[in-house]
Amino acid sequence: RLPGLLGWIVSKLFLRAPVELNENEIKGIVRQFAVSARLAEKAGFDGIQIHAAHGYLASQFLSGSGNFRTDEYGGDKERRRRFLMEIIDAVKACTSKTFILGVKINVKDQSKDGLEREKE
């Protein structure tokens, strides 16, 4: 937080406590990823990368230390990855088979109870 009156004004205008997305908002975000991928392909790009690391939205769903949801998008690992899998499925459904889809994820997110590569 910034100090003084300016800090107070900025925090009141722009800094809000996070709120949990509802299911309609989640579905809308998934659609936006798909539309963006389709537009990228139409514009001539060979592929896209979904950034699901470093605290971005998809990584927040994946993280056991940051995802406190009690619905189908939270809890065990399978449900926490549902959001990302829905994005992947939506992108694949609206782009060609030759369109490249990459996903950037963390191997370890350096937070207590966070993501970590499982031992083989």
Side-chain angles (χ1 to χ4, degrees), residues 40-90:
E41 185 174 32
K42 284 180 121 178
F45 288 88
D46 295 327
I48 63 162
Q49 176 177 274
I50 297 169
H51 196 154
H54 308 115
Y56 282 79
L57 183 60
S59 74
Q60 292 177 27
F61 275 85
L62 292 171
S63 176
S65 66
N67 181 343
F68 304 112
R69 300 181 70 96
T70 57
D71 61 7
E72 63 269 18
Y73 294 96
D76 63 26
K77 291 177 186 179
E78 185 173 320
R79 291 191 323 210
R80 291 195 320 260
R81 70 175 164 246
R82 179 180 177 149
F83 176 65
L84 178 58
M85 297 309 297
E86 287 180 0
I87 292 170
I88 292 168
D89 291 343

Side-chain angles (χ1 to χ4, degrees), residues 14-42:
F14 301 108
L15 304 177
R16 297 184 202 144
V19 295
E20 187 174 284
L21 293 168
N22 65 43
E23 189 172 340
N24 287 333
E25 291 169 322
I26 292 171
K27 300 297 183 196
I29 292 169
V30 169
R31 279 191 304 275
Q32 290 171 350
F33 271 95
V35 168
S36 298
R38 186 173 57 235
L39 290 173
E41 185 174 32
K42 284 180 121 178

Side-chain angles (χ1 to χ4, degrees), residues 82-101:
R82 179 180 177 149
F83 176 65
L84 178 58
M85 297 309 297
E86 287 180 0
I87 292 170
I88 292 168
D89 291 343
V91 167
K92 285 180 163 185
C94 72
T95 56
S96 69
K97 292 189 182 291
T98 59
F99 191 70
I100 301 164
L101 174 58

